[in-house]
């Protein structure tokens, strides 16, 4: 990897964490300079503006989330087990997060709403990826006789995503993992009782 690419990656890795913890609006160029060890000119050599950096940093943060999810998903073949892998990903936010600061999708969506349409589009796209994964998984599970045929894939996708992101938000507000654990316990039981076809 060339030195310029290394420097760009350092900027992205450090600012992805910074933005995820402090928000884009709450982060100054001085903050970015402090964590990267670069002067302003060195940062602007790679990114034309703070907004451009924020978009690229979100991609970096989201990439870490997807990488963790792939690790959790890899050994799982059954459709219910693959949905449980998504739940396990959100559980990891409490003890071993893919990136410091919590869920970058939730953090970005809350901050960017009505203030940064381009960044909000990034968060919206990530949420849509979760939905599409769940819909594909449910459709596959129905096809192979693993899930109940009456399962509404779109409805389940919205319920899971809303419940998981909401649980992360509530745990953050309460500064307690308990809300997340309660929601995960409910969702696990729901998937087993209402969605899986008993063998």
């Amino acid at each position: 990897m060339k030195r310029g690419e290394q420097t760009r990656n350092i900027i992205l890795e450090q600012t992805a964490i910074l933005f995820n913890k402090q928000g884009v609006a709450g982060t100054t160029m001085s903050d970015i300079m402090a964590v990267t060890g670069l002067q302003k000119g060195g940062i602007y050599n790679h990114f034309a503006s703070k907004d451009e950096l924020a978009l690229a940093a979100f991609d970096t943060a989201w990439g870490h989330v997807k990488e963790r999810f792939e690790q959790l998903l890899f050994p799982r073949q059954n459709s219910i087990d693959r949905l449980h892998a998504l739940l396990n990903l959100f559980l990891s936010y409490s003890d071993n997060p893919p990136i410091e600061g919590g869920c970058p999708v939730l953090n970005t969506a809350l901050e960017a709403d009505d203030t940064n349409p381009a960044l909000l589009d990034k968060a919206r796209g990530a949420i849509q990826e979760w939905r599409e994964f769940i819909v594909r998984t449910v459709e596959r599970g129905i096809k192979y006789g693993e899930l109940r045929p009456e399962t509404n894939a779109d409805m389940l996708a919205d319920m899971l995503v809303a419940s998981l992101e909401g649980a992360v938000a509530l745990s953050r507000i309460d500064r307690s993992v308990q809300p997340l654990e309660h929601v995960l316990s409910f969702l696990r039981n729901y998937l087993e009782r209402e969605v899986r076809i008993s063998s």
Side-chain angles (χ1 to χ4, degrees):
M1 184 182 295
K2 295 179 180 179
R3 185 171 179 179
E5 293 174 345
Q6 289 178 329
T7 301
R8 188 177 193 277
N9 286 342
I10 289 170
I11 296 169
L12 288 173
E13 291 291 340
Q14 295 299 322
T15 55
I17 295 170
L18 198 59
F19 289 153
N20 201 42
K21 293 169 74 173
Q22 298 180 186
V24 176
T27 299
T28 66
M29 283 305 297
S30 295
D31 294 330
I32 297 170
M33 290 161 58
V35 298
T36 60
L38 297 170
Q39 296 299 311
K40 190 180 293 186
I43 296 165
Y44 284 132
N45 278 340
H46 298 276
F47 301 95
S49 66
K50 184 181 170 186
D51 285 343
E52 182 182 303
L53 174 55
L55 294 173
F58 177 86
D59 289 339
T60 297
W62 178 232
H64 286 305
V65 172
K66 292 198 291 184
E67 183 179 357
R68 172 69 60 78
F69 184 51
E70 288 297 326
Q71 292 169 357
L72 293 169
L73 196 62
F74 176 70
R76 298 168 185 265
Q77 298 300 321
N78 182 281
S79 297
I80 284 286
D81 293 338
R82 292 172 72 82
L83 294 175
H84 280 300
L86 180 60
L87 272 56
N88 291 338
L89 170 69
F90 278 80
L91 179 61
S92 77
Y93 283 127
S94 66
D95 56 3
N96 183 26
I99 182 167
E100 293 178 48
C103 177
V105 180
L106 177 64
N107 294 342
T108 300
L110 292 177
E111 182 188 15
D113 188 30
D114 295 328
T115 64
N116 191 324
L119 201 52
L120 183 61
D121 280 344
K122 291 279 188 181
R124 186 180 292 116
I127 290 289
Q128 188 58 28
E129 285 188 46
W130 286 141
R131 285 183 172 136
E132 290 171 359
F133 164 77
I134 295 167
V135 168
R136 287 195 311 270
T137 301
V138 170
E139 290 174 346
R140 177 186 180 279
I142 292 172
K143 178 180 178 181
Y144 290 104
E146 298 167 348
L147 308 185
R148 295 185 182 188
E150 67 271 20
T151 303
N152 184 312
D154 289 321
M155 187 179 296
L156 184 62
D158 283 343
M159 184 189 77
L160 289 179
V161 172
S163 297
L164 291 167
E165 292 290 5
V168 170
L170 189 55
S171 283
R172 184 169 176 178
I173 291 167
D174 287 355
R175 299 192 183 281
S176 167
V177 72
Q178 191 173 70
L180 178 59
E181 289 177 340
H182 285 167
V183 169
L184 288 172
S185 177
F186 175 85
L187 292 177
R188 291 187 200 286
N189 289 333
Y190 180 83
L191 290 175
E192 294 298 329
R193 289 194 322 265
E194 306 295 333
V195 181
R196 185 195 287 271
I197 291 181
S198 299
S199 54

